[in-house]
Amino acid sequence: MFILPKNVTIIEVGPRDGLQNEKNHVDETDKLQFIHSLQAAGIREMELTSFVSPKWVPQMADAKAIVEKSDRIGRQFVLAPNAKGAELALESNADSIAVFVGVSNTFNQKNINRTTEESMDALEPVIAKLKHDGIFVRACISTAFYCPYEGKIELKDVLNLCSRFVSMGVDELSVADTIGMANPVESYELFFQLKKEFPEILITAHFHDTRKMAMANIFAALQAGIDRFDTSAGGLGGCPFAPGATGNVATEDVVNMLDSLGIETGIDVDKICAAVETIAQHVSHPIETGMYRLYKNKIH
Amino acid sequence: MFILPKNVTIIEVGPRDGLQNEKNHVDETDKLQFIHSLQAAGIREMELTSFVSPKWVPQMADAKAIVEKSDRIGRQFVLAPNAKGAELALESNADSIAVFVGVSNTFNQKNINRTTEESMDALEPVIAKLKHDGIFVRACISTAFYCPYEGKIELKDVLNLCSRFVSMGVDELSVADTIGMANPVESYELFFQLKKEFPEILITAHFHDTRKMAMANIFAALQAGIDRFDTSAGGLGGCPFAPGATGNVATEDVVNMLDSLGIETGIDVDKICAAVETIAQHVSHPIETGMYRLYKNKIH
Protein backbone atom coordinates (compact mmCIF):
# COMPACT_ATOMS: atom_id res chain seq x y z
CA MET A 1 0.00 0.00 0.00
CA PHE A 2 2.59 2.57 1.06
CA ILE A 3 5.59 3.52 -1.02
CA LEU A 4 7.89 5.29 1.41
CA PRO A 5 11.49 6.50 0.98
CA LYS A 6 14.18 4.01 2.04
CA ASN A 7 16.41 6.72 3.50
CA VAL A 8 15.60 10.01 5.17
CA THR A 9 17.86 12.93 5.97
CA ILE A 10 17.19 14.71 9.24
CA ILE A 11 18.18 18.37 9.43
CA GLU A 12 18.63 19.10 13.13
CA VAL A 13 17.44 22.63 13.93
CA GLY A 14 17.70 22.56 17.74
CA PRO A 15 20.84 24.70 18.16
CA ARG A 16 19.37 27.49 16.01
CA ASP A 17 15.59 27.34 15.62
CA GLY A 18 15.30 25.52 18.94
CA LEU A 19 17.41 27.79 21.10
CA GLN A 20 16.83 31.18 19.46
CA ASN A 21 13.78 31.97 21.59
CA GLU A 22 14.95 30.22 24.74
CA LYS A 23 14.51 32.58 27.70
CA ASN A 24 17.53 31.31 29.63
CA HIS A 25 20.89 32.38 28.30
CA VAL A 26 22.71 29.25 27.11
CA ASP A 27 26.51 29.48 27.27
CA GLU A 28 28.64 28.98 24.19
CA THR A 29 30.27 25.94 25.82
CA ASP A 30 26.90 24.31 26.50
CA LYS A 31 25.75 24.97 22.94
CA LEU A 32 28.93 23.42 21.58
CA GLN A 33 28.48 20.37 23.79
CA PHE A 34 24.90 20.05 22.48
CA ILE A 35 26.07 20.40 18.86
CA HIS A 36 28.87 17.87 19.25
CA SER A 37 26.57 15.41 21.06
CA LEU A 38 24.12 15.69 18.17
CA GLN A 39 26.91 14.99 15.71
CA ALA A 40 27.94 11.98 17.83
CA ALA A 41 24.35 10.71 17.49
CA GLY A 42 24.72 10.71 13.71
CA ILE A 43 23.37 14.14 12.73
CA ARG A 44 25.02 15.20 9.45
CA GLU A 45 22.99 18.32 8.61
CA MET A 46 22.32 20.96 11.25
CA GLU A 47 21.25 24.57 11.65
CA LEU A 48 24.07 25.79 13.88
CA THR A 49 23.25 29.40 14.61
CA SER A 50 22.00 32.66 13.16
CA PHE A 51 23.81 35.84 12.14
CA VAL A 52 20.96 37.99 13.28
CA SER A 53 21.36 41.21 15.24
CA PRO A 54 22.04 40.41 18.93
CA LYS A 55 19.68 43.30 19.66
CA TRP A 56 16.80 41.17 18.32
CA VAL A 57 18.00 37.71 19.30
CA PRO A 58 20.54 37.97 22.13
CA GLN A 59 20.74 34.17 22.35
CA MET A 60 22.56 34.14 18.98
CA ALA A 61 25.18 36.78 19.88
CA ASP A 62 27.86 34.07 19.89
CA ALA A 63 27.16 33.05 16.26
CA LYS A 64 30.72 33.58 15.04
CA ALA A 65 32.27 31.53 17.84
CA ILE A 66 29.72 28.74 17.39
CA VAL A 67 30.52 28.40 13.68
CA GLU A 68 34.26 28.57 14.23
CA LYS A 69 34.37 26.13 17.14
CA SER A 70 31.92 23.52 15.86
CA ASP A 71 33.38 20.39 14.36
CA ARG A 72 32.87 20.38 10.60
CA ILE A 73 30.88 17.24 10.00
CA GLY A 74 28.50 17.13 7.07
CA ARG A 75 26.49 20.23 6.25
CA GLN A 76 26.15 22.99 8.82
CA PHE A 77 23.76 25.83 8.13
CA VAL A 78 23.96 29.30 9.49
CA LEU A 79 20.96 31.54 9.13
CA ALA A 80 21.43 34.93 7.49
CA PRO A 81 18.39 37.21 7.64
CA ASN A 82 19.87 39.81 5.28
CA ALA A 83 22.95 40.98 3.35
CA LYS A 84 24.77 41.94 6.52
CA GLY A 85 24.10 38.53 8.07
CA ALA A 86 25.28 36.78 4.92
CA GLU A 87 28.49 38.83 4.96
CA LEU A 88 29.18 37.88 8.59
CA ALA A 89 28.37 34.25 7.81
CA LEU A 90 30.83 34.23 4.90
CA GLU A 91 33.51 35.82 7.10
CA SER A 92 33.06 32.99 9.59
CA ASN A 93 33.76 30.54 6.75
CA ALA A 94 30.27 29.01 6.70
CA ASP A 95 29.75 26.92 3.59
CA SER A 96 25.97 26.53 3.87
CA ILE A 97 23.64 29.43 4.48
CA ALA A 98 19.91 29.57 5.15
CA VAL A 99 17.72 32.53 4.25
CA PHE A 100 14.07 32.87 5.17
CA VAL A 101 10.81 34.49 4.19
CA GLY A 102 7.15 34.10 5.13
CA VAL A 103 4.54 33.41 2.45
CA SER A 104 2.17 35.55 4.50
CA ASN A 105 2.82 39.26 4.09
CA THR A 106 1.46 40.11 7.52
CA PHE A 107 3.58 37.45 9.20
CA ASN A 108 6.68 38.54 7.30
CA GLN A 109 6.10 42.15 8.30
CA LYS A 110 5.64 41.31 11.97
CA ASN A 111 8.64 38.99 11.85
CA ILE A 112 11.17 41.11 9.93
CA ASN A 113 9.36 44.36 9.20
CA ARG A 114 9.20 43.88 5.42
CA THR A 115 6.57 42.64 3.01
CA THR A 116 7.22 39.24 1.44
CA GLU A 117 7.94 41.03 -1.84
CA GLU A 118 10.46 43.37 -0.20
CA SER A 119 12.14 40.40 1.44
CA MET A 120 12.43 38.57 -1.88
CA ASP A 121 13.83 41.65 -3.64
CA ALA A 122 16.40 42.10 -0.88
CA LEU A 123 17.37 38.42 -0.94
CA GLU A 124 17.92 38.26 -4.72
CA PRO A 125 21.38 39.89 -4.79
CA VAL A 126 22.35 38.13 -1.55
CA ILE A 127 21.59 34.72 -3.02
CA ALA A 128 23.33 35.65 -6.30
CA LYS A 129 26.48 36.53 -4.37
CA LEU A 130 26.33 33.35 -2.26
CA LYS A 131 25.85 31.11 -5.30
CA HIS A 132 28.71 32.93 -7.05
CA ASP A 133 30.88 32.03 -4.06
CA GLY A 134 29.84 28.38 -4.26
CA ILE A 135 27.78 28.42 -1.08
CA PHE A 136 24.96 25.92 -0.53
CA VAL A 137 21.78 27.98 -0.10
CA ARG A 138 18.76 26.77 1.83
CA ALA A 139 15.55 28.81 1.53
CA CYS A 140 13.29 28.52 4.59
CA ILE A 141 9.68 29.29 3.74
CA SER A 142 7.49 29.94 6.77
CA THR A 143 3.69 30.11 7.10
CA ALA A 144 3.35 27.86 4.06
CA PHE A 145 0.01 26.44 5.26
CA TYR A 146 -1.57 28.85 7.74
CA CYS A 147 -0.75 32.29 9.08
CA PRO A 148 -1.84 33.38 12.58
CA TYR A 149 -3.03 36.68 11.06
CA GLU A 150 -4.15 35.79 7.53
CA GLY A 151 -5.51 32.28 8.03
CA LYS A 152 -5.24 29.66 5.28
CA ILE A 153 -2.43 30.25 2.76
CA GLU A 154 -3.11 29.43 -0.89
CA LEU A 155 -1.05 26.56 -2.30
CA LYS A 156 -0.33 28.59 -5.46
CA ASP A 157 1.23 31.39 -3.39
CA VAL A 158 3.64 28.88 -1.87
CA LEU A 159 4.49 27.44 -5.28
CA ASN A 160 5.05 30.94 -6.72
CA LEU A 161 7.40 31.89 -3.91
CA CYS A 162 9.29 28.60 -4.22
CA SER A 163 9.52 29.06 -7.96
CA ARG A 164 11.14 32.45 -7.48
CA PHE A 165 13.68 30.96 -5.06
CA VAL A 166 14.43 28.16 -7.52
CA SER A 167 15.05 30.68 -10.30
CA MET A 168 17.50 32.45 -7.96
CA GLY A 169 19.43 29.17 -7.77
CA VAL A 170 18.79 27.93 -4.23
CA ASP A 171 19.74 24.34 -3.47
CA GLU A 172 17.04 23.52 -0.95
CA LEU A 173 13.52 24.60 -0.06
CA SER A 174 12.57 24.03 3.57
CA VAL A 175 8.83 24.54 3.73
CA ALA A 176 7.27 25.08 7.13
CA ASP A 177 3.96 24.76 8.92
CA THR A 178 5.07 27.49 11.29
CA ILE A 179 2.05 27.48 13.60
CA GLY A 180 1.40 23.73 13.53
CA MET A 181 -2.02 23.96 11.94
CA ALA A 182 -1.70 21.89 8.76
CA ASN A 183 -3.45 18.54 8.55
CA PRO A 184 -2.00 15.43 6.87
CA VAL A 185 -4.02 15.85 3.65
CA GLU A 186 -2.76 19.44 3.28
CA SER A 187 0.76 18.20 4.04
CA TYR A 188 0.50 15.55 1.33
CA GLU A 189 -0.97 17.94 -1.24
CA LEU A 190 1.63 20.68 -0.85
CA PHE A 191 4.63 18.38 -0.70
CA PHE A 192 3.40 16.25 -3.59
CA GLN A 193 3.14 19.44 -5.71
CA LEU A 194 6.55 20.69 -4.60
CA LYS A 195 8.21 17.37 -5.51
CA LYS A 196 6.47 17.47 -8.88
CA GLU A 197 7.27 21.11 -9.70
CA PHE A 198 10.86 21.13 -8.49
CA PRO A 199 12.32 17.67 -9.07
CA GLU A 200 15.90 18.99 -9.12
CA ILE A 201 15.71 20.79 -5.75
CA LEU A 202 16.02 19.32 -2.28
CA ILE A 203 12.61 19.65 -0.64
CA THR A 204 12.46 19.58 3.15
CA ALA A 205 9.37 19.53 5.37
CA HIS A 206 9.35 21.48 8.62
CA PHE A 207 6.51 20.81 11.08
CA HIS A 208 5.61 22.28 14.44
CA ASP A 209 3.65 20.13 16.85
CA THR A 210 1.31 22.79 18.26
CA ARG A 211 -1.87 20.81 17.53
CA LYS A 212 -0.16 17.40 17.70
CA MET A 213 -0.46 16.80 13.96
CA ALA A 214 3.27 16.94 13.16
CA MET A 215 3.86 13.18 13.18
CA ALA A 216 0.77 12.52 11.04
CA ASN A 217 1.95 15.26 8.67
CA ILE A 218 5.37 13.64 8.44
CA PHE A 219 3.76 10.30 7.62
CA ALA A 220 1.70 12.01 4.90
CA ALA A 221 4.80 13.82 3.55
CA LEU A 222 6.66 10.50 3.41
CA GLN A 223 3.77 9.18 1.29
CA ALA A 224 4.34 12.19 -1.00
CA GLY A 225 7.98 11.13 -1.39
CA ILE A 226 9.58 13.65 0.99
CA ASP A 227 12.86 12.36 2.36
CA ARG A 228 14.16 15.40 4.26
CA PHE A 229 12.73 16.67 7.55
CA ASP A 230 13.70 19.51 9.85
CA THR A 231 13.43 18.35 13.46
CA SER A 232 14.60 19.66 16.80
CA ALA A 233 16.17 17.54 19.53
CA GLY A 234 14.00 17.73 22.64
CA GLY A 235 11.31 19.47 20.56
CA LEU A 236 13.06 22.75 21.41
CA GLY A 237 11.76 25.87 19.75
CA GLY A 238 8.81 27.98 18.92
CA CYS A 239 8.42 31.39 17.38
CA PRO A 240 7.65 34.50 19.44
CA PHE A 241 5.98 36.10 16.41
CA ALA A 242 3.64 33.16 15.90
CA PRO A 243 1.10 33.04 18.74
CA GLY A 244 0.57 29.51 19.98
CA ALA A 245 3.49 28.03 18.09
CA THR A 246 5.06 25.49 20.38
CA GLY A 247 8.12 23.44 19.73
CA ASN A 248 9.32 21.87 16.57
CA VAL A 249 8.60 18.20 16.18
CA ALA A 250 11.20 16.27 18.20
CA THR A 251 14.16 14.64 16.47
CA GLU A 252 14.07 11.62 18.79
CA ASP A 253 10.37 10.95 18.13
CA VAL A 254 10.71 11.34 14.36
CA VAL A 255 13.82 9.15 14.14
CA ASN A 256 12.12 6.50 16.29
CA MET A 257 9.10 6.43 13.96
CA LEU A 258 11.38 6.22 10.91
CA ASP A 259 13.39 3.41 12.57
CA SER A 260 10.15 1.58 13.27
CA LEU A 261 9.12 2.01 9.62
CA GLY A 262 12.47 0.54 8.51
CA ILE A 263 13.60 3.87 7.05
CA GLU A 264 17.33 4.56 7.48
CA THR A 265 18.49 7.85 8.99
CA GLY A 266 21.95 6.94 10.32
CA ILE A 267 20.89 8.45 13.65
CA ASP A 268 20.83 6.79 17.06
CA VAL A 269 17.74 7.68 19.13
CA ASP A 270 19.40 6.99 22.49
CA LYS A 271 22.33 9.21 21.59
CA ILE A 272 19.93 12.00 20.54
CA CYS A 273 18.33 11.63 23.98
CA ALA A 274 21.82 11.87 25.53
CA ALA A 275 22.31 15.12 23.59
CA VAL A 276 18.95 16.37 24.87
CA GLU A 277 20.11 15.57 28.39
CA THR A 278 23.12 17.88 27.94
CA ILE A 279 20.86 20.82 27.07
CA ALA A 280 17.82 20.02 29.27
CA GLN A 281 19.34 21.57 32.39
CA HIS A 282 20.01 24.84 30.55
CA VAL A 283 16.55 25.54 29.18
CA SER A 284 13.61 27.13 30.99
CA HIS A 285 10.99 24.43 30.53
CA PRO A 286 10.73 20.67 31.05
CA ILE A 287 11.39 18.46 28.03
CA GLU A 288 8.55 15.99 27.59
CA THR A 289 9.02 14.33 24.22
CA GLY A 290 7.96 10.70 23.85
CA MET A 291 11.38 9.10 23.47
CA TYR A 292 13.18 11.38 25.94
CA ARG A 293 10.61 10.59 28.62
CA LEU A 294 11.22 6.86 28.07
CA TYR A 295 14.99 7.45 28.06
CA LYS A 296 14.88 9.32 31.38
CA ASN A 297 12.76 6.54 32.89
CA LYS A 298 15.07 3.88 31.43
CA ILE A 299 12.27 2.22 29.48
CA HIS A 300 13.24 0.64 26.16
CA MET B 1 -5.29 10.49 -3.18
CA PHE B 2 -6.90 9.81 0.17
CA ILE B 3 -10.28 8.16 0.63
CA LEU B 4 -11.23 8.92 4.20
CA PRO B 5 -14.49 8.33 6.08
CA LYS B 6 -16.94 11.27 6.06
CA ASN B 7 -18.05 10.66 9.64
CA VAL B 8 -16.17 9.31 12.64
CA THR B 9 -17.51 8.13 15.99
CA ILE B 10 -15.43 9.00 19.02
CA ILE B 11 -15.68 6.67 22.00
CA GLU B 12 -14.64 8.73 24.99
CA VAL B 13 -12.70 6.57 27.47
CA GLY B 14 -11.55 9.27 29.92
CA PRO B 15 -13.93 8.51 32.80
CA ARG B 16 -12.95 4.81 32.82
CA ASP B 17 -9.65 4.10 31.06
CA GLY B 18 -8.43 7.62 31.81
CA LEU B 19 -9.24 7.80 35.51
CA GLN B 20 -8.80 4.17 36.57
CA ASN B 21 -5.09 4.60 37.33
CA GLU B 22 -5.27 8.16 38.55
CA LYS B 23 -3.42 8.43 41.87
CA ASN B 24 -5.66 11.12 43.35
CA HIS B 25 -9.08 9.98 44.48
CA VAL B 26 -11.65 11.66 42.25
CA ASP B 27 -15.04 12.19 43.90
CA GLU B 28 -18.21 10.78 42.41
CA THR B 29 -19.58 14.32 41.96
CA ASP B 30 -16.50 15.43 40.03
CA LYS B 31 -16.66 12.34 37.82
CA LEU B 32 -20.31 13.00 37.07
CA GLN B 33 -19.55 16.63 36.23
CA PHE B 34 -16.80 15.40 33.85
CA ILE B 35 -19.15 12.86 32.25
CA HIS B 36 -21.95 15.37 31.77
CA SER B 37 -19.57 18.01 30.38
CA LEU B 38 -18.33 15.46 27.86
CA GLN B 39 -21.91 14.71 26.86
CA ALA B 40 -22.53 18.46 26.51
CA ALA B 41 -19.57 18.58 24.11
CA GLY B 42 -21.30 16.07 21.87
CA ILE B 43 -19.90 12.73 23.09
CA ARG B 44 -22.43 9.99 22.36
CA GLU B 45 -20.40 6.88 23.21
CA MET B 46 -18.44 6.70 26.43
CA GLU B 47 -16.73 4.22 28.77
CA LEU B 48 -18.31 5.32 32.05
CA THR B 49 -16.73 3.11 34.67
CA SER B 50 -15.60 -0.41 35.52
CA PHE B 51 -17.16 -3.08 37.72
CA VAL B 52 -13.78 -4.29 38.86
CA SER B 53 -12.93 -5.18 42.45
CA PRO B 54 -12.33 -1.98 44.48
CA LYS B 55 -9.43 -3.91 46.03
CA TRP B 56 -7.63 -3.76 42.68
CA VAL B 57 -8.92 -0.43 41.37
CA PRO B 58 -10.17 1.71 44.26
CA GLN B 59 -10.86 4.60 41.89
CA MET B 60 -13.76 2.61 40.41
CA ALA B 61 -15.43 1.74 43.75
CA ASP B 62 -18.29 4.10 42.88
CA ALA B 63 -19.15 2.22 39.65
CA LYS B 64 -22.77 1.55 40.56
CA ALA B 65 -23.50 5.16 41.50
CA ILE B 66 -21.77 6.47 38.36
CA VAL B 67 -23.90 4.28 36.08
CA GLU B 68 -27.10 5.12 37.92
CA LYS B 69 -26.51 8.87 38.12
CA SER B 70 -25.12 9.47 34.63
CA ASP B 71 -27.51 10.92 32.08
CA ARG B 72 -28.41 8.26 29.53
CA ILE B 73 -27.30 9.81 26.27
CA GLY B 74 -26.21 7.53 23.46
CA ARG B 75 -24.18 4.44 24.31
CA GLN B 76 -22.51 4.18 27.70
CA PHE B 77 -20.14 1.31 28.33
CA VAL B 78 -19.28 -0.19 31.63
CA LEU B 79 -16.32 -2.52 31.83
CA ALA B 80 -16.83 -5.98 33.30
CA PRO B 81 -13.63 -7.98 33.81
CA ASN B 82 -15.45 -11.21 34.65
CA ALA B 83 -18.80 -12.92 35.36
CA LYS B 84 -19.14 -11.15 38.71
CA GLY B 85 -18.50 -7.76 37.10
CA ALA B 86 -21.01 -8.49 34.35
CA GLU B 87 -23.62 -9.43 36.96
CA LEU B 88 -23.08 -6.18 38.85
CA ALA B 89 -23.19 -4.23 35.57
CA LEU B 90 -26.51 -5.84 34.66
CA GLU B 91 -27.91 -5.06 38.10
CA SER B 92 -27.04 -1.40 37.55
CA ASN B 93 -29.10 -1.47 34.36
CA ALA B 94 -26.15 -0.94 32.00
CA ASP B 95 -27.12 -1.65 28.41
CA SER B 96 -23.61 -1.77 26.92
CA ILE B 97 -20.80 -3.77 28.44
CA ALA B 98 -17.11 -4.00 27.60
CA VAL B 99 -14.98 -7.06 28.24
CA PHE B 100 -11.25 -7.25 27.71
CA VAL B 101 -8.36 -9.57 27.00
CA GLY B 102 -4.72 -9.22 25.96
CA VAL B 103 -3.42 -10.95 22.85
CA SER B 104 -0.17 -11.45 24.71
CA ASN B 105 -0.34 -14.28 27.24
CA THR B 106 2.29 -12.75 29.47
CA PHE B 107 0.57 -9.38 29.50
CA ASN B 108 -2.81 -10.98 30.20
CA GLN B 109 -1.34 -12.97 33.07
CA LYS B 110 0.30 -9.93 34.64
CA ASN B 111 -2.86 -7.89 34.11
CA ILE B 112 -5.55 -10.33 35.27
CA ASN B 113 -3.69 -13.44 36.36
CA ARG B 114 -5.00 -15.68 33.58
CA THR B 115 -3.65 -16.85 30.25
CA THR B 116 -5.34 -15.39 27.18
CA GLU B 117 -6.95 -18.81 26.59
CA GLU B 118 -8.27 -18.98 30.15
CA SER B 119 -9.70 -15.47 29.78
CA MET B 120 -11.46 -16.37 26.55
CA ASP B 121 -12.90 -19.58 28.06
CA ALA B 122 -14.19 -17.61 31.05
CA LEU B 123 -15.67 -14.87 28.85
CA GLU B 124 -17.57 -17.25 26.56
CA PRO B 125 -20.53 -17.94 28.92
CA VAL B 126 -20.50 -14.32 30.12
CA ILE B 127 -20.88 -13.01 26.57
CA ALA B 128 -23.51 -15.65 25.78
CA LYS B 129 -25.55 -14.46 28.76
CA LEU B 130 -25.13 -10.78 27.85
CA LYS B 131 -26.16 -11.34 24.24
CA HIS B 132 -29.14 -13.41 25.43
CA ASP B 133 -30.18 -10.38 27.50
CA GLY B 134 -29.86 -8.06 24.49
CA ILE B 135 -26.80 -6.23 25.80
CA PHE B 136 -24.39 -4.50 23.37
CA VAL B 137 -21.00 -6.16 23.88
CA ARG B 138 -17.71 -4.44 23.15
CA ALA B 139 -14.56 -6.59 23.19
CA CYS B 140 -11.41 -4.65 24.08
CA ILE B 141 -8.30 -6.34 22.74
CA SER B 142 -5.08 -5.08 24.29
CA THR B 143 -1.45 -5.55 23.20
CA ALA B 144 -2.61 -6.07 19.61
CA PHE B 145 0.69 -4.76 18.17
CA TYR B 146 3.41 -5.03 20.81
CA CYS B 147 3.69 -6.44 24.31
CA PRO B 148 6.15 -5.00 26.85
CA TYR B 149 7.18 -8.58 27.71
CA GLU B 150 6.78 -10.53 24.46
CA GLY B 151 7.67 -7.87 21.88
CA LYS B 152 6.01 -7.87 18.47
CA ILE B 153 2.60 -9.56 18.30
CA GLU B 154 1.75 -11.57 15.19
CA LEU B 155 -1.10 -10.18 13.10
CA LYS B 156 -2.60 -13.67 12.76
CA ASP B 157 -2.85 -14.02 16.55
CA VAL B 158 -4.89 -10.82 16.69
CA LEU B 159 -7.13 -11.99 13.87
CA ASN B 160 -7.65 -15.37 15.56
CA LEU B 161 -8.63 -13.78 18.84
CA CYS B 162 -10.98 -11.35 17.10
CA SER B 163 -12.49 -14.20 15.13
CA ARG B 164 -13.29 -16.04 18.35
CA PHE B 165 -14.95 -12.94 19.80
CA VAL B 166 -16.97 -12.51 16.61
CA SER B 167 -18.16 -16.10 16.82
CA MET B 168 -19.28 -15.38 20.39
CA GLY B 169 -21.47 -12.62 18.99
CA VAL B 170 -19.79 -9.41 20.15
CA ASP B 171 -20.94 -6.18 18.52
CA GLU B 172 -17.66 -4.27 18.55
CA LEU B 173 -13.94 -5.00 18.55
CA SER B 174 -11.82 -2.24 20.10
CA VAL B 175 -8.25 -3.08 19.16
CA ALA B 176 -5.48 -1.39 21.11
CA ASP B 177 -1.85 -0.44 20.79
CA THR B 178 -1.58 -0.60 24.58
CA ILE B 179 2.05 0.50 24.89
CA GLY B 180 2.04 3.04 22.05
CA MET B 181 4.63 1.26 19.94
CA ALA B 182 2.83 0.62 16.64
CA ASN B 183 3.84 2.60 13.57
CA PRO B 184 1.41 3.88 10.94
CA VAL B 185 2.16 1.09 8.45
CA GLU B 186 1.41 -1.53 11.13
CA SER B 187 -1.72 0.40 12.05
CA TYR B 188 -2.89 0.42 8.44
CA GLU B 189 -2.12 -3.27 7.92
CA LEU B 190 -3.93 -4.58 10.98
CA PHE B 191 -7.00 -2.35 10.62
CA PHE B 192 -7.24 -3.01 6.89
CA GLN B 193 -7.30 -6.75 7.64
CA LEU B 194 -9.82 -6.36 10.44
CA LYS B 195 -12.20 -4.37 8.19
CA LYS B 196 -11.80 -7.03 5.52
CA GLU B 197 -12.29 -10.06 7.78
CA PHE B 198 -15.13 -8.68 9.88
CA PRO B 199 -17.22 -6.40 7.67
CA GLU B 200 -20.31 -6.82 9.88
CA ILE B 201 -18.65 -5.82 13.15
CA LEU B 202 -17.87 -2.33 14.46
CA ILE B 203 -14.08 -1.98 14.46
CA THR B 204 -12.57 0.63 16.75
CA ALA B 205 -8.93 1.70 16.98
CA HIS B 206 -7.42 2.54 20.36
CA PHE B 207 -4.02 4.23 20.40
CA HIS B 208 -1.73 5.36 23.18
CA ASP B 209 0.63 8.23 22.50
CA THR B 210 3.70 6.92 24.35
CA ARG B 211 6.04 7.35 21.37
CA LYS B 212 4.01 10.17 19.78
CA MET B 213 2.83 7.99 16.90
CA ALA B 214 -0.88 7.93 17.87
CA MET B 215 -1.99 10.72 15.53
CA ALA B 216 -0.03 9.25 12.60
CA ASN B 217 -1.57 5.86 13.42
CA ILE B 218 -5.04 7.38 13.41
CA PHE B 219 -4.37 8.97 10.02
CA ALA B 220 -3.22 5.56 8.72
CA ALA B 221 -6.27 3.83 10.24
CA LEU B 222 -8.55 6.39 8.56
CA GLN B 223 -6.90 5.43 5.29
CA ALA B 224 -7.78 1.81 6.08
CA GLY B 225 -11.42 2.86 6.47
CA ILE B 226 -11.64 2.93 10.27
CA ASP B 227 -14.34 5.31 11.48
CA ARG B 228 -14.36 4.64 15.22
CA PHE B 229 -11.64 5.74 17.64
CA ASP B 230 -11.26 5.44 21.39
CA THR B 231 -9.85 8.69 22.77
CA SER B 232 -9.50 10.21 26.21
CA ALA B 233 -10.26 13.84 27.06
CA GLY B 234 -7.09 15.48 28.34
CA GLY B 235 -5.12 12.42 27.23
CA LEU B 236 -5.90 10.92 30.65
CA GLY B 237 -4.83 7.36 31.26
CA GLY B 238 -2.10 4.83 31.10
CA CYS B 239 -1.78 1.27 32.28
CA PRO B 240 0.15 0.32 35.44
CA PHE B 241 0.83 -3.14 34.02
CA ALA B 242 2.32 -1.74 30.80
CA PRO B 243 5.67 -0.12 31.59
CA GLY B 244 6.08 3.15 29.73
CA ALA B 245 2.48 3.39 28.63
CA THR B 246 1.47 7.02 28.93
CA GLY B 247 -1.90 8.50 28.24
CA ASN B 248 -4.39 7.66 25.62
CA VAL B 249 -4.43 9.92 22.61
CA ALA B 250 -6.38 13.06 23.52
CA THR B 251 -9.99 13.50 22.40
CA GLU B 252 -9.52 17.23 21.77
CA ASP B 253 -6.47 16.68 19.53
CA VAL B 254 -8.10 13.88 17.54
CA VAL B 255 -11.38 15.77 17.06
CA ASN B 256 -9.45 18.88 15.98
CA MET B 257 -7.54 16.87 13.35
CA LEU B 258 -10.78 15.30 12.12
CA ASP B 259 -12.45 18.75 11.99
CA SER B 260 -9.51 20.03 9.98
CA LEU B 261 -9.84 17.08 7.59
CA GLY B 262 -13.54 17.87 7.13
CA ILE B 263 -14.60 14.68 8.89
CA GLU B 264 -17.77 15.06 11.01
CA THR B 265 -17.77 13.92 14.63
CA GLY B 266 -20.57 16.01 16.12
CA ILE B 267 -18.15 17.04 18.87
CA ASP B 268 -17.10 20.57 19.86
CA VAL B 269 -13.37 20.84 20.65
CA ASP B 270 -13.74 23.89 22.90
CA LYS B 271 -16.42 22.15 24.93
CA ILE B 272 -14.19 19.07 25.29
CA CYS B 273 -11.51 21.43 26.62
CA ALA B 274 -14.09 22.86 29.04
CA ALA B 275 -14.77 19.29 30.22
CA VAL B 276 -11.01 18.75 30.64
CA GLU B 277 -10.93 21.92 32.76
CA THR B 278 -13.48 20.43 35.16
CA ILE B 279 -11.28 17.37 35.79
CA ALA B 280 -7.81 18.98 35.49
CA GLN B 281 -7.81 20.24 39.09
CA HIS B 282 -8.60 16.74 40.42
CA VAL B 283 -5.81 14.78 38.76
CA SER B 284 -2.23 14.43 39.91
CA HIS B 285 -0.41 15.64 36.79
CA PRO B 286 -0.54 18.62 34.46
CA ILE B 287 -2.60 18.22 31.27
CA GLU B 288 -0.54 19.25 28.26
CA THR B 289 -2.47 18.22 25.19
CA GLY B 290 -2.19 20.39 22.10
CA MET B 291 -5.70 21.82 22.02
CA TYR B 292 -6.11 22.14 25.80
CA ARG B 293 -2.88 24.15 26.01
CA LEU B 294 -4.20 26.53 23.33
CA TYR B 295 -7.59 26.69 25.12
CA LYS B 296 -5.95 27.58 28.45
CA ASN B 297 -3.90 30.27 26.73
CA LYS B 298 -6.95 31.54 24.84
CA ILE B 299 -5.35 30.95 21.43
CA HIS B 300 -7.68 30.02 18.61
Side-chain angles (χ1 to χ4, degrees), chain A residues 1-2 4 183-185 188 210-213 215-216 219 223 244 246 253 256-257 260-261 290-291 293-294 299, chain B residues 1-2 4 183-185 188 210-213 215-216 219 223 244 246 253 256-257 260-261 290-291 293-294 299:
Chain A
M1 163 66 185
F2 298 111
L4 306 177
N183 69 50
V185 170
Y188 179 89
T210 317
R211 289 165 186 79
K212 306 298 170 193
M213 289 190 278
M215 297 287 272
F219 182 62
Q223 291 181 249
T246 45
D253 292 338
N256 176 67
M257 179 166 79
S260 170
L261 291 166
M291 296 311 292
R293 206 188 62 81
L294 296 179
I299 298 164
Chain B
M1 163 66 186
F2 299 110
L4 306 178
N183 70 49
V185 170
Y188 180 90
T210 318
R211 288 166 187 80
K212 307 299 168 192
M213 289 191 277
M215 297 286 273
F219 183 61
Q223 292 182 61
T246 46
D253 293 338
N256 175 67
M257 180 165 80
S260 170
L261 291 166
M291 296 312 292
R293 206 188 61 80
L294 296 179
I299 298 164

